[in-house]
Amino acid sequence: MDLILLGPPGAGKGTQAKMMADRWEIPQVSTGDILREAVKEGRPLGLEAKSFMDRGELVPDRVVIGIIGERLEEKDAAGGFILDGFPRTFPQAEALQEILGEMGRKINCVLSIEVEEEKLVVRLTGRRICRNCGQSYHLVFNPPARDGICGRCGGDLYQRDDDKEETIRQRLTVYREQTQPLVAFYESKNLLKKIDGGDSKEKIFSRIVEVVESDCRG
Ligand code: AMP
């Protein structure tokens, strides 16, 4: 099952992608996670991407298309994948189609998680992430039992550099201008499933399960 998760920053794509990956035993493929890992390790890819990420802008298409081309060839993606944060532009969507076409595969469904903009700002400014296992928390909605410590693995929690309010506004503008048009693009291909993302992560997940298990199994 080859799935795309679309939605603005803070819609809960990463959280839902992890839950989906567990349920259907297919990998979450997050370009944001791959890029952050490259930054952390000081690899050339990270050095190239960091300034764009810090400004809340998109990393150039050729860079992320290269990442996805390699990642989807890996063995664990042979039975399907959940794309989280890719594609974000038309050239990326077109390149994805080409990559999958060459592999004799196609997207089964595109899930668009929809949340109002002011809610996104509140969600993102309170977000904290475990440096060790990537688990996500929220200072108000999902606080860790111990301040600054991950309840799952004991790692330190941190705030992403791009989760500061000014950068968040920029990321939301970039989403509106460059990524949101993909919703209509996938709708015209009859692949789009809209998911109300305004509730708890459990409620959103049960909506996703219902849609995917009834409509997306290719
Ligand atoms: P995310 O974790 O998905 O919110 O991504 C964090 C940042 O990584 C974005 O603000 C971009 O700078 C960069 N990024 C992630 N995915 C992409 C993509 N598909 N295209 C361009 N830039 C990306």
Side-chain angles (χ1 to χ4, degrees):
M1 205 161 41
D2 297 349
L3 303 174
I4 295 176
L5 269 182
L6 267 186
K13 295 188 298 295
T15 303
Q16 296 300 326
K18 285 189 182 61
M19 294 163 86
M20 294 163 72
D22 284 347
R23 183 175 180 103
W24 294 303
E25 297 182 338
I26 50 179
Q28 166 197 17
V29 175
S30 157
T31 38
D33 284 351
I34 295 170
L35 291 167
R36 276 185 292 279
E37 193 63 25
V39 170
K40 198 165 97 183
E41 291 176 357
R43 281 189 271 128
L45 168 65
L47 296 179
E48 184 172 6
K50 187 172 180 344
S51 62
F52 295 99
M53 297 172 79
D54 286 348
R55 289 196 302 270
E57 287 172 12
L58 294 183
V59 172
D61 284 334
R62 77 179 153 73
V63 175
V64 282
I65 290 168
I67 292 176
I68 285 293
E70 281 180 20
R71 180 64 186 87
L72 297 187
E73 293 283 352
E74 284 178 34
K75 236 164 79 196
D76 67 338
F81 52 74
I82 301 149
L83 286 179
D84 158 14
F86 184 96
R88 267 170 144 108
T89 63
F90 276 117
Q92 292 180 22
E94 279 156 11
L96 176 63
Q97 227 165 311
E98 208 164 294
I99 291 167
L100 292 178
E102 280 166 14
M103 298 169 88
R105 294 167 71 158
K106 61 175 176 41
I107 292 296
N108 296 101
C109 273
V110 178
L111 306 170
S112 169
I113 308 185
E114 321 234 314
V115 184
E116 323 152 17
E117 195 154 318
E118 278 319 301
K119 232 180 203 171
L120 297 170
V121 176
V122 174
R123 282 189 187 178
L124 289 166
T125 46
R127 177 159 75 174
R128 297 293 181 275
I129 295 168
C130 175
R131 219 176 266 291
N132 185 44
C133 73
Q135 176 75 27
S136 191
Y137 294 88
H138 191 280
L139 295 181
V140 179
F141 307 129
N142 178 29
R146 279 198 295 154
D147 265 3
I149 307 286
C150 177
R152 190 159 88 174
C153 76
D156 283 340
L157 303 187
Y158 77 107
Q159 181 176 37
R160 274 172 47 172
D161 288 340
D162 59 355
D163 278 347
K164 311 271 155 73
E165 180 150 355
E166 198 186 303
T167 318
I168 288 170
R169 298 272 174 202
Q170 172 63 14
R171 288 163 64 204
L172 290 171
T173 302
V174 166
Y175 177 78
R176 224 182 295 118
E177 289 175 356
Q178 302 199 51
T179 309
Q180 186 132 40
L182 295 181
V183 171
F185 172 73
Y186 285 119
E187 197 158 29
S188 74
K189 293 182 174 293
N190 278 330
L191 290 172
L192 195 81
K193 312 284 171 199
K194 289 192 179 175
I195 306 282
D196 176 357
D199 284 314
S200 67
K201 65 176 184 196
E202 290 79 13
K203 281 201 186 137
I204 300 169
F205 185 59
S206 64
R207 283 188 198 122
I208 289 179
V209 169
E210 202 181 306
V211 167
V212 169
E213 295 195 343
S214 55
D215 291 347
C216 307
R217 294 193 140 157

